[in-house]
Structures are given as C-alpha cells and as structure tokens.
Amino acid sequence: MASMTSVNPATGEVLGRYDELSDPELEARLARAAQTFRAWRRRPFAERATSAARAGEVLEQRKEHWGRLMTLEMGKTFKSAVAEAEKCAWACRFYAENAERFLADEEVKASATRSYVRHLPIGPVLAVMPWNFPFWQVFRFAAPALMAGNVGLLKHASNVPQCALAIEEVFRQAGLPDGCFQTLLVGSKRVARIIEDDRIAAITLTGSEAAGASVASTAGRVIKKSVLELGGSDPFIVMPSASFDQAVATAVTARCINNGQSCIAAKRFIVHDRIYDRFERELVKRMQALRVGDPMDPGTDVGPLATPSEVEKLTEQVDAAVKAGGKLLLGGRPAGGKGCYYPPTVLAGIPRTSPSYREELFGPVAMLYRVKDVDEAIAVANDVPFGLGSSVWTGDEAERRRFVDDLEAGATFVNAMVASDPRLPFGGVKRSGYGRELARDGIREFVNVKTVVVQELAPPRDVSAGGATE
C-alpha cells in the first residue's frame, strides 16, 4: 500500500509515514459523507453556528499545538503558524455569526404573489489543498461550506499528512457529526476518480496552475462546479508620492511572508524611476538583514522552503533569470547542508525574454523593475498571465483611481500589503483562477441559488348558497 511521508524541512528528519486509504476505505468515507449530508443540511443555522464556534474555540485553545505541527511539517516560523491557527478560528467565528444573514431568502418583486431566492446546500464538496498554509487554506473553504449545510472532504498535499489529520481532529473535537468533515489520505492520481463520483457535488482547489487545469477539466467533463485559487506574481508598485519608509519596510515583509511561499506575496517590485535607486539600495539592505534559520526560534525571520524540490525549482528559476541578463543583487544560491534553506534574494533588470519574467517564484526572491510613469507601471504589472493580488503605494488620488481600475487582479491594496480577510472576497482573474472564497461571495459559491415563485390561487367559489331547493 502506498504511503505518505511527513518530513521536517528544517532538518530533513522523517516525522512519520501514513498509509493511503485503500479503495474500500475511500468508498466508506464517500458513503459516510453522502449519508451525513442528508441530515446535516436540515440542521438549523443556530446548530451549525454552535459547531463552527466550537471549532474556533478548539483552534484557539490549542493554537500552540497546531502551530508547532505546522512548523514541524512545512517549515513556516512558529510565530506565523500560531497566527495562522488564530486566523482559522476567526474564520469559524465569522461564518458562525454571519452565514444565516448571507444565505437569507431574498424577496424579489415580480408578477407572482411572491417571488424569492433561496440558497440551499448542494452536497459533499471536495477540497484539494496545498501545503503552504496547511490550516488556513482548508478552513477558509471548510467554515463557509459547513455553515451552508454542505459537508467537506479534504485531499491535502502529500507532504502535510499530519496537518490533514489534525484538521479532521479539530472538527471532531468541536462535536460535528461523524462524516461532516473527513480527510482523505490519497495521492493525486486518485483525485479524478473522486471528482467523477456521483456523490461529489463540487470541487475547490488551491494550488498550481497545472493542478488547477487538471481538476477543472475533470470537473467540467462531469459538469460539476469548481472554484480555483491558483498562482500569483503580484506586483508591488511604488510611486514618488508614497511614504517611502513605510513602502520599503512593507515590501520586505510582503516578499518574505511565509518564507516567501504565498500566492499573494509581493513578487515583482515596480518602482518609479525617481525613487528607484534609493528603493533598490534599501530593499537589498533590509533583505540582507533578515535572519534565516530554525523556524521554531522566535528570532527567525525566514525559515526553510517546504521541500527539496521547491529549493531546486527556485534555484533553476533564479539561474535562468541571471543567464537571460538579469542582475543578481543579493543571495541566489541555496544554503546547502541540512534543511531546505534558500536565502533572501534580490534580482533586477530581468528581461521580458526570460521565463522568470512571467513565472511565479515561490520563495524569498524579490524582482525589481524600473518604470517612468503610471502607464508603464500598469503595463509591467499586467504583463504576466496571473492576476491575484496587487499592492500600490501612492499619495496621489488620480494615480490611485488608475491603479484600482486598470490593474488586472482580484484585489488591489492601496498603501497596504495584500492579505486575505474573512470579511472580504478572495480570488483572482486570468490564470490565477476563478470563483471567490471568503465573505458572502465565498459561502454562495457552493449553494443552489433557487428561484421560488408562489402564485396564490383565488379562493374557490362557494356554491352551496345557490343550490336547488326542495
């Protein structure tokens, strides 16, 4: 039987091996999901909200336990892992408090006596999730899906099996019915078969462009709804009217958050010519000052990448950028020795002919671009196949309007770092995917938006008074 291996990326230590589900075990879980859905969908919102709130409590009460697990298994710093558990708790509370309002009947004036729209659950939702935010990516799907009356099935990344099982444990400890949320320890080759199963109602995926294309094509073939949150090569635009010190400080954080392994991390720094040289010097200085090391150490700024293959891929991308004519200003070589460490790196002047110009670089690598005005900044920002987030730094209202209207992205943050928030919809355009997570839009992705029309009949005419006499 195939198995999954959990490895500490900071040391290379094998933490454990976990058998994949056998075919009978997988069938039992699919059957349980379908059976549980039939009962769960009829639970009133108040009962679902109680369960979601309890899940939030479980996350909060044991946040250091869950955080340590995330750090050991994928390498994020412990302080950021604890914050991730707290954010998951926030999402659970948010939907516990707001789901009923988001899904309330909507009255519509039409020709009938009454017309309204009702939002009903659709069934088991399969989530195919990545390793970089091993709890948050899951909870931002699970909290709204469960509150909508659906049930969840998780196919997590193969390098975080302990996190996958722990999330199922969170919902179990919160008292959700057996079968409401189940982890499926299966390899990627079995995903298509699960999608094709008639009991699966919809699919959500966060991951690579290739994984999204594969899942979407399978879902499309069997006519099932899918939501995709894929890669990003987010621009971080800095104009002369911006607060320079605030912009450059945020730039470092935005590039190296989660060890640089975030779809919405700033990756391309597009800077106006008037302040470019100063920005370049300061960015290199601050990136160089970051402390790389043990992610459990509270003084560490950047931990390891998640796997050796991520180090290898990032190294190849940086080498290709330099070979094509890009200038290496800092870093650029793996640390070597134990662990999957890659140093903070800064590249400048990457030509459009380099593949790295349009690729997503998943790690602490900043790419710098010099532009002469707003028009060129927008042109460079949009000159990639992705459109997830964007951050712009300007004190000029006219520039702000241009960026908000013309940047091809699912989000534009003005004088702020891009971040996900349960209160705001999250998703992208172009090859960054489609559909939305979080907020009202996220919970409405996996519901049946049902039109209901009620036409009251005229009361029957009373003929008894006019009947024949004897």
Side-chain angles (χ1 to χ4, degrees):
M1 180 180 293
S3 64
M4 297 179 179
T5 304
S6 175
V7 178
N8 184 341
T11 64
E13 175 193 2
V14 174
L15 302 172
R17 291 184 174 84
Y18 300 83
D19 290 337
E20 289 190 19
L21 295 176
S22 65
D23 285 345
E25 288 171 332
L26 176 59
E27 166 58 30
R29 290 186 175 238
L30 292 171
R32 190 179 306 131
Q35 180 180 5
T36 302
F37 168 66
R38 288 191 288 272
W40 179 250
R41 70 187 302 272
R42 301 191 181 281
R43 294 279 185 96
F45 276 106
E47 289 188 22
R48 293 183 216 159
T50 297
S51 296
R54 284 177 183 159
E57 291 172 3
V58 171
L59 287 160
E60 285 275 11
Q61 291 167 359
R62 304 187 66 197
K63 60 186 179 183
E64 293 190 354
H65 169 76
W66 312 120
R68 188 171 293 103
L69 182 59
M70 286 184 254
T71 296
L72 289 174
E73 197 162 48
M74 78 61 59
K76 65 171 68 247
T77 62
F78 179 62
K79 56 190 174 186
S80 68
V82 172
E84 183 170 334
E86 292 172 335
K87 191 170 184 177
C88 294
W90 178 22
C92 291
R93 290 193 300 269
F94 176 79
Y95 280 105
E97 295 166 2
N98 293 286
E100 185 171 11
R101 176 171 59 88
F102 289 155
L103 300 180
D105 290 349
E106 295 180 354
E107 298 289 335
V108 179
K109 291 185 178 180
S111 57
T113 305
R114 184 189 178 203
S115 302
Y116 61 96
V117 177
R118 177 159 291 179
H119 305 90
L120 298 168
I122 56 175
V125 179
L126 173 67
V128 181
M129 291 289 121
W131 45 259
N132 58 329
F133 290 91
F135 269 53
W136 172 240
Q137 307 278 19
V138 177
F139 276 91
R140 74 184 191 193
F141 127 77
L146 292 169
M147 279 302 305
N150 299 310
V151 299
L153 292 161
L154 170 64
K155 187 277 180 240
H156 218 325
S158 59
N159 60 315
V160 289
Q162 292 191 72
C163 288
L165 294 170
I167 294 169
E168 182 178 301
E169 181 185 347
V170 169
F171 287 113
R172 187 181 303 115
Q173 290 183 12
L176 273 76
D178 185 37
C180 253
F181 185 94
Q182 300 177 86
T183 285
L184 307 179
L185 290 185
V186 296
S188 58
K189 292 181 179 179
R190 298 168 76 184
V191 170
R193 176 178 149 198
I194 298 171
I195 294 172
E196 292 167 351
D197 191 287
D198 289 340
R199 290 164 292 195
I200 298 298
I203 306 92
T204 181
L205 175 139
T206 298
S208 69
E209 186 180 341
S214 175
V215 163
S217 62
T218 303
R221 190 170 61 249
V222 291
I223 322 297
K224 293 183 181 180
K225 175 73 178 288
S226 61
V227 167
L228 303 181
E229 193 271 282
L230 308 179
S233 188
D234 286 8
F236 188 103
I237 301 171
V238 186
M239 303 299 287
S241 60
S243 169
F244 182 89
D245 289 339
Q246 188 177 0
V248 74
T250 306
V252 174
T253 302
R255 174 59 283 206
C256 295
I257 187 172
N258 206 43
N259 307 339
Q261 301 168 118
S262 170
C263 296
I264 55 172
K267 300 182 177 77
R268 296 177 298 131
F269 297 85
I270 301 167
V271 185
H272 192 281
D273 180 67
R274 277 167 46 195
I275 57 171
Y276 177 88
D277 292 334
R278 180 184 172 201
F279 188 92
E280 179 187 280
R281 288 193 301 271
E282 193 64 27
L283 182 68
V284 170
K285 175 183 174 183
R286 293 183 184 226
M287 290 281 281
Q288 191 171 27
L290 293 173
R291 181 177 172 185
V292 180
D294 179 1
M296 289 299 298
D297 186 335
T300 293
D301 299 306
V302 179
L305 300 189
T307 65
S309 63
E310 292 297 322
V311 176
E312 181 180 350
K313 179 180 179 181
L314 189 61
T315 302
E316 291 173 353
Q317 290 175 308
V318 171
D319 288 347
V322 173
K323 185 177 181 181
K327 185 178 179 181
L328 183 64
L329 304 178
L330 178 70
R333 301 306 305 171
K338 289 184 178 181
C340 303
Y341 290 96
Y342 194 95
T345 297
V346 181
L347 293 165
I350 301 173
R352 295 181 76 252
T353 54
S354 170
S356 300
Y357 182 91
R358 290 187 174 84
E359 293 175 336
E360 177 181 31
L361 273 63
F362 222 53
V365 179
M367 297 179 285
L368 278 164
Y369 299 87
R370 185 194 299 261
V371 295
K372 65 180 182 296
D373 54 26
V374 172
D375 290 334
E376 188 177 8
I378 292 171
V380 172
N382 291 341
D383 193 21
V384 292
F386 302 106
L388 193 54
S390 55
S391 178
V392 298
W393 292 77
T394 174
D396 184 280
E397 182 59 34
E399 290 177 349
R400 179 182 302 182
R401 288 195 297 268
R402 282 291 312 281
F403 289 128
V404 168
D405 288 342
D406 293 348
L407 287 176
E408 297 168 352
T412 295
F413 282 57
V414 181
N415 299 326
M417 188 177 83
V418 178
S420 56
D421 183 320
R423 299 165 294 189
L424 296 168
F426 182 88
V429 296
K430 302 198 293 188
R431 293 192 183 182
S432 288
Y434 52 74
R436 290 294 181 265
E437 298 177 296
L438 302 177
R440 186 189 70 170
D441 301 77
I443 197 171
R444 289 189 173 188
E445 286 286 2
F446 297 125
V447 295
N448 174 13
V449 183
K450 175 178 278 192
T451 294
V452 181
V453 176
V454 179
Q455 184 66 61
E456 296 292 353
L457 300 176
R461 187 166 59 90
D462 185 0
V463 299
S464 59
T469 58
E470 294 182 357

